[in-house]
Amino acid sequence: YFKGLVGKPPLTGRYTNYTVGGMVLFTGLNADVNVGDVFTSRTGRVMMVMDNAEMETGDNLQKTFVIKILNKQVTWTRQVREKDPITGLDKTTDVKNLGSFWCSFESTGNQIDITHIKLGKYRFICNKELLEGDTLDNKYRVVKVDHLVGVTVADAERA
């Protein structure tokens, strides 16, 4: 539990394309808030704390965090792979359920493959250590993972 103010950032500063509406969280210096923390506001919105910096405002010093509104709760699975003792090749032996989590879910457009099938492209932003090949909601396969502004940004396709 912490107290803070969600608002618009000053016109100067460093913000990225991964912020929603330029929203930031202002807290006191002693607030127990860290990059990657997920919290629910008093109005019921689920939010994630992203990149932070201390900021001076008048006589006060405060922590300022970029925040992301999380709009989807997803299930998470990962294929367990091991080397086949005979062939030496990797093989899938099981699917491990890693639970569920809140994330920002965005469509990043569609692409047509060489067989003229429309492929959806999606982006998931979260505080989990996703890996390429992970499956979200049993229908999205992670194809690329980046770690930016203290969180995971994963691109996915329909599985």
Side-chain angles (χ1 to χ4, degrees), residues 68-84:
K68 182 79 170 168
I69 296 173
L70 305 182
N71 59 0
K72 185 172 183 66
Q73 190 170 26
V74 296
T75 58
W76 178 22
T77 58
R78 178 174 291 157
Q79 292 182 345
V80 178
R81 301 183 64 81
E82 61 184 43
K83 286 206 182 289
D84 184 292

Side-chain angles (χ1 to χ4, degrees), residues 2 4-16 18-27 33 39 41 45 47-53 55 57 62-69:
F2 65 90
L5 171 68
V6 173
K8 296 282 185 183
L11 294 176
T12 60
R14 55 187 174 92
Y15 300 98
T16 72
Y18 299 111
T19 62
V20 172
M23 296 180 71
V24 293
L25 169 67
F26 302 97
T27 67
V33 180
F39 66 95
S41 72
R45 290 189 296 182
M47 302 178 186
M48 181 173 57
V49 177
M50 295 173 60
D51 197 27
N52 74 306
M55 174 181 180
T57 57
Q62 63 189 17
K63 288 182 184 176
T64 305
F65 298 91
V66 174
I67 58 171
K68 182 79 170 168
I69 296 173

Side-chain angles (χ1 to χ4, degrees), residues 37-158:
D37 286 352
V38 173
F39 66 95
T40 304
S41 72
R42 291 193 334 196
T43 61
R45 290 189 296 182
V46 180
M47 302 178 186
M48 181 173 57
V49 177
M50 295 173 60
D51 197 27
N52 74 306
E54 289 183 4
M55 174 181 180
E56 289 188 40
T57 57
D59 294 333
N60 299 324
L61 193 62
Q62 63 189 17
K63 288 182 184 176
T64 305
F65 298 91
V66 174
I67 58 171
K68 182 79 170 168
I69 296 173
L70 305 182
N71 59 0
K72 185 172 183 66
Q73 190 170 26
V74 296
T75 58
W76 178 22
T77 58
R78 178 174 291 157
Q79 292 182 345
V80 178
R81 301 183 64 81
E82 61 184 43
K83 286 206 182 289
D84 184 292
I86 296 169
T87 66
L89 299 174
D90 280 348
K91 67 177 184 175
T92 301
T93 59
D94 197 10
V95 175
K96 184 176 182 181
N97 182 350
L98 299 171
S100 64
F101 62 90
W102 280 95
C103 65
S104 170
F105 171 73
E106 306 166 1
S107 174
T108 59
N110 292 313
Q111 179 179 349
I112 307 295
D113 74 1
I114 59 172
T115 60
H116 303 287
I117 296 174
K118 188 189 301 185
L119 300 173
K121 300 288 187 179
Y122 306 92
R123 178 162 294 137
F124 293 85
I125 302 173
C126 63
N127 64 349
K128 302 299 181 192
E129 289 294 324
L130 300 177
L131 297 177
E132 290 180 15
D134 285 357
T135 302
L136 304 174
D137 268 358
N138 294 317
K139 60 183 166 187
Y140 305 102
R141 186 176 55 82
V142 175
V143 295
K144 182 181 175 203
V145 177
D146 289 311
H147 299 283
L148 303 168
V149 292
V151 299
T152 299
V153 179
D155 292 329
E157 298 175 344
R158 283 276 191 181

